[in-house]
Amino acid sequence: MELAKAFEPADIERRRYPEWEAQNYFAASVDRSKAPDENFCILLPPPNVTGTLHMGHGFNQTLMDALTRYYRMRGHNTLWQPGTDHAGIATQIVVERQLDAQGISRHDLGREKFLEKVWEWKEYSGNTITKQMRRMGTSPDWKRERFTMDAGLNKVVTETFVRLFKEGLIYRGKRLVNWDPKLNTAVSDLEVVQEEEDGFMWHIRYPLADGSDSLVVATTRPETMLGDTAVMVHPEDLRRSRIRHRLRQGHAGA
């Protein structure tokens, strides 16, 4: 057999990695006799099942793999916990675009059928991601692999939120949110593309209650007018001395 002129790692890597998995080399070790400082764990930031890994994933996974292997070889109880993230809205958009290409909408399918399509995509994309990680030679404990929508994880998250709420550490309040008019759902700031636009200055004329005069207020947010209940004038504003006087006399209306 003639040797290749240059080292070709692809064939060796394809053979070696299945051997490593079969021998359970990446399994987390749990030796309770070891001291606390001999335990080492890294949780893989779960990649979103919306596509494939990119260079950023390759970079941080290389660092995590190097650390995991280092502590594993030192004999520590070592775990690199793998998993993938559902990225709900982003995944929904990917699946909807696929349906659009077929001339179908999620409304045509109905909720249950659409969820089936989402889970089909999760299996395809998630498997692609884990294959890429194996191709890079990363060494997480694959037997512990998790998905953020797994029933067990959902139960723990729900229990944690309920406990934190009962302990008064979190609360439910009303807040302004980003609303997607197409998906009809709230989206986080991370999922919004911020764009700068030229604003406008609006001049709103507030009449005094007796109709004798008015007060003009300039603002870039005219929609707040609907919630206005009072108008205030700075006591040292000489430009509005006459109106200031009338306001002091109690003749001004809201």
Side-chain angles (χ1 to χ4, degrees), residues 84-155:
T84 50
D85 190 13
H86 64 285
I89 295 176
T91 302
Q92 177 179 333
I93 292 173
V94 170
V95 175
E96 285 202 58
R97 286 175 178 169
Q98 294 173 348
L99 294 175
D100 287 341
Q102 305 172 33
I104 306 173
S105 75
R106 74 175 191 272
H107 303 292
D108 298 329
L109 291 177
R111 181 181 178 85
E112 296 302 322
K113 292 293 183 181
F114 180 70
L115 286 176
E116 289 179 10
K117 290 291 183 183
V118 172
W119 279 104
E120 288 176 9
W121 171 255
K122 178 267 172 185
E123 290 299 321
Y124 170 78
S125 180
N127 290 339
T128 298
I129 288 172
T130 56
K131 287 178 182 177
Q132 286 181 294
M133 291 184 64
R134 286 178 167 89
R135 184 68 180 82
M136 288 192 296
T138 57
S139 62
D141 187 351
W142 290 113
K143 292 183 178 180
R144 294 172 177 258
E145 183 183 354
R146 294 293 182 269
F147 177 56
T148 49
M149 292 298 288
D150 286 346
L153 296 184
N154 274 341
K155 181 180 178 181

Side-chain angles (χ1 to χ4, degrees), residues 86-93 106 172-192:
H86 64 285
I89 295 176
T91 302
Q92 177 179 333
I93 292 173
R106 74 175 191 272
R172 184 175 185 176
K174 293 183 178 180
R175 293 289 186 273
L176 291 175
V177 297
N178 304 304
W179 183 257
D180 189 318
K182 183 176 180 181
L183 296 176
N184 290 321
T185 185
V187 294
S188 74
D189 290 343
L190 295 176
E191 294 167 308
V192 174

Side-chain angles (χ1 to χ4, degrees), residues 215-231:
L215 183 66
V216 177
V217 176
T219 178
T220 58
R221 299 290 303 275
E223 69 275 12
T224 61
M225 176 184 66
L226 302 176
D228 291 344
T229 58
V231 176

Side-chain angles (χ1 to χ4, degrees), residues 11-118:
D11 181 59
I12 296 175
E13 291 171 353
R14 276 193 292 266
R15 288 186 289 107
R16 290 296 184 193
Y17 200 92
E19 292 177 7
W20 293 345
E21 279 200 78
Q23 295 298 324
N24 216 23
Y25 289 154
F26 307 151
S29 52
V30 185
D31 184 350
R32 301 187 185 279
S33 66
K34 293 185 180 295
D37 60 356
E38 293 182 292
N39 298 319
F40 182 79
C41 176
I42 292 183
L43 175 64
L44 173 71
N48 295 337
V49 289
T50 52
T52 56
L53 301 183
H54 51 64
M55 289 298 294
H57 291 115
F59 172 72
N60 65 35
Q61 289 179 15
T62 297
L63 298 179
M64 286 184 280
D65 189 47
L67 288 168
T68 301
R69 290 174 180 269
Y70 170 75
Y71 284 100
R72 187 184 289 134
M73 288 189 293
R74 291 188 63 188
H76 286 53
N77 287 329
T78 306
L79 168 64
W80 184 8
Q81 173 65 51
T84 50
D85 190 13
H86 64 285
I89 295 176
T91 302
Q92 177 179 333
I93 292 173
V94 170
V95 175
E96 285 202 58
R97 286 175 178 169
Q98 294 173 348
L99 294 175
D100 287 341
Q102 305 172 33
I104 306 173
S105 75
R106 74 175 191 272
H107 303 292
D108 298 329
L109 291 177
R111 181 181 178 85
E112 296 302 322
K113 292 293 183 181
F114 180 70
L115 286 176
E116 289 179 10
K117 290 291 183 183
V118 172

Side-chain angles (χ1 to χ4, degrees), residues 161 164-165 168-175:
F161 268 92
L164 292 175
F165 180 79
L169 298 176
I170 60 174
Y171 66 95
R172 184 175 185 176
K174 293 183 178 180
R175 293 289 186 273

